Amino acid sequence: MKTVSGIPVFNGDAIGNTHGIAIGKVFVQESERLNVGERTILPEQIDEEIERYKLAVNASYDEIASNRDNVLGSLGQNFADIFEAQILILQDPRMLREIKNLISSRSLAAESAVVIAHNAQIEIFRKLDNSYIAEKINDIRDIEKRILRHLLGTRSESLRKLTEPVILLASNLTPSETANLDRNFIKAIVTESGGFGGHTAILASALEIPCVVGCGSFLGNVQNGDTVVVDAISGLLILNPDDITVQKYQKIIDAGSSRIENLDELRDVDAVTADGAKITIMANIEFPHEADNAIQRGAEGIGLFRTEFLYFTQESDPTEDEHFASYKKVAETMKGKPVIIRTFDFGDDKESDRHGAFAPERNPALGLRGIRLALKRWQLFRTQIRAILRASVYGNVQIMFPLVSTVKEFRQARYSAVKEFMDELEHDGIPYNDKIKIGMMVEVPAAVVMLDHFAEISDFFSIGTNDLTQYVMASDRGNRNVSHLFSSSDPAVLRMIHSAVRVAGQTSTPISLCGQIGGDPMRIAILLGLGLRSISCTPSSIPRIKQICRRIAIADCEKIAEKILLFSNAADVKDYTIREMINLVPEFMNKVS
Ligand code: PEP
Ligand code: MG
């Protein structure tokens, strides 16, 4: 643990946006490590807590019983007996009584009561030293973990019941947990694991919640109710700050609010460079309500609607009508501006309980995700495509397929799937736009290399630098251990972007970019210099990007791009770009510190 003037400070990846700093009280989301502290509840919550505990026991019973049945079929009664014994431990009436008693007499949260009761039982067994008992202890730990997993899985319940704004600290958050966070009560998020390109980071930035990911272990040093500062500009978590530190950061927060107000003036202004090139700036969104935000920030369209998040926010899959309502709302809000709806991209770190591969995969990033999965889940795909087609008469709706690797996949998606679903609508007399534009993400190296072939069948391209970087650099986008390799400004990635833009130009195919790099003020000049004239980014980044576009000239951007394409590493690209940007637009490059 690092300290600055005696104050513990943890470094991580800053997922900065315009509201990059927060000061507040901590709420710790317990993790899979199941390291549960002694948490108390209010007396009026006792009944509800006992109910939560009972539900966790029932869910654990279902799992163990299903294990028992499976093992009985495959391995026989002897092995099934192992699980039978676990059921007896799980349902031991003394243990059930003891845990309920701890919850009601000491106002303990269910998970704290479970840990205390199981520890006490294990202590008794430890004193009886024999190997049978060692096995028994293993069983008790197993059951304890299982119950805790169910309890902590429902921890988002307590997150939903927050009554005052907090700073959420967690070992990690799944995309669905992040998607369900209430922006009114979460001032900032800090996680121990995860990385800049991961979906938790992307979602936090979409929700405009300051976020720092990949800080390493810090949960052992912090408790609910502690005060912390989250600096999502520099990537810092500061525990128990002194008054001077709080005052320093409060000043930055105040200065930040006035800067944001000034940026509002840019809403209706075009992004035209100093030498007259028009740059189209669109928004990436994850939820329909963000379309209003996109308009507020001056977006000229929705360049990427990540629809998989529609599935994460509810218990069951959205119906065709629910999909339709979401897409129609966005299309109408955008009033004829492009709305590029990307079909669901489950898999990799955007896994949900109901979707993803049919069986666990050793290497999910290289597995069944994106369009690969859609082509195997015909009904799920059909529901979504029919809804998009139905919404296409309410605005400038377009379809985009994720993670396309081969021409064959694109053909199947466009000429088998979409065609079939169009024919169905036609047959039923349901209106849709039969000229709807259908394009693809360019985020797999194979697609970049084969882009001239894709140009014959795809109406447009959008470069996904998050995945492109992951695959070009062979560096998991959410893994801090390899985050030093995950850089979208590595010359290898930039050369790929350059090549894609060149081929798109030669084949007159519209091309945009919707990866995280598009919202980075420091790197916008590189992208323009590589030939891009259309960018889609998080709504909160739009005003700043517009402002910079209006101050720089394409001629200068091209000089920067020409130079960096010759560099051998990302660090040189970064140093050179910072120097150039400080020369070109010094007023935007001052760090807030
Ligand atoms: C990308 O990969 O760059 C992208 C925009 O898609 P996602 O981040 O949703 O994978
Ligand atoms: Mg992607």
Side-chain angles (χ1 to χ4, degrees), residues 48-64 90-91 96 99-100 103 109-111 114 118 142-155:
E48 200 184 324
E49 203 63 9
I50 291 179
E51 202 43 44
R52 204 161 76 84
Y53 165 63
K54 281 191 203 156
L55 287 175
V57 171
N58 290 346
S60 304
Y61 171 85
D62 289 345
E63 283 175 359
I64 302 174
L90 177 77
Q91 296 183 325
L96 300 181
I99 291 173
K100 283 187 212 161
I103 296 173
E111 52 271 24
V114 165
H118 283 88
D142 201 22
I143 288 162
E144 178 193 28
K145 259 198 193 160
R146 204 180 281 281
I147 302 175
L148 287 179
R149 236 179 251 128
H150 286 290
L151 286 170
L152 299 174
T154 59
R155 179 56 72 88

Side-chain angles (χ1 to χ4, degrees), residues 199 202 306 342 350 441 443 464-467 477 514-515:
H199 285 94
I202 289 174
R306 288 185 168 97
R342 184 180 71 182
K350 280 178 295 191
M441 299 279 301
E443 52 185 348
T465 42
N466 308 333
D467 277 311
R477 58 195 273 186
C514 62

Side-chain angles (χ1 to χ4, degrees), residues 323-338:
H323 275 289
F324 169 69
S326 301
Y327 306 147
K328 178 169 176 273
K329 176 185 175 349
V330 177
E332 287 179 338
T333 307
M334 297 311 292
K335 296 195 172 65
K337 296 187 167 90

Side-chain angles (χ1 to χ4, degrees), residues 16-35:
N17 55 32
T18 45
H19 307 85
I21 297 204
I23 304 170
K25 297 252 185 275
V26 156
F27 180 92
V28 179
Q29 160 105 326
E30 300 294 349
S31 71
E32 256 306 281
R33 289 183 308 131
L34 306 178
N35 182 6

Side-chain angles (χ1 to χ4, degrees), residues 358-372:
F358 298 88
E361 296 180 306
R362 232 186 91 213
N363 213 336
L366 304 183
L368 205 52
R369 56 167 291 204
I371 195 65
R372 306 166 183 188

Side-chain angles (χ1 to χ4, degrees), residues 261-270 293-300 542-543 546:
E261 279 154 27
N262 295 340
L263 287 174
D264 268 359
E265 294 162 10
L266 287 164
R267 188 179 315 139
D268 303 318
V269 173
D270 273 348
N293 196 14
I295 291 283
Q296 283 300 315
R297 303 297 169 109
E300 295 172 75
I542 292 177
K546 261 196 185 178

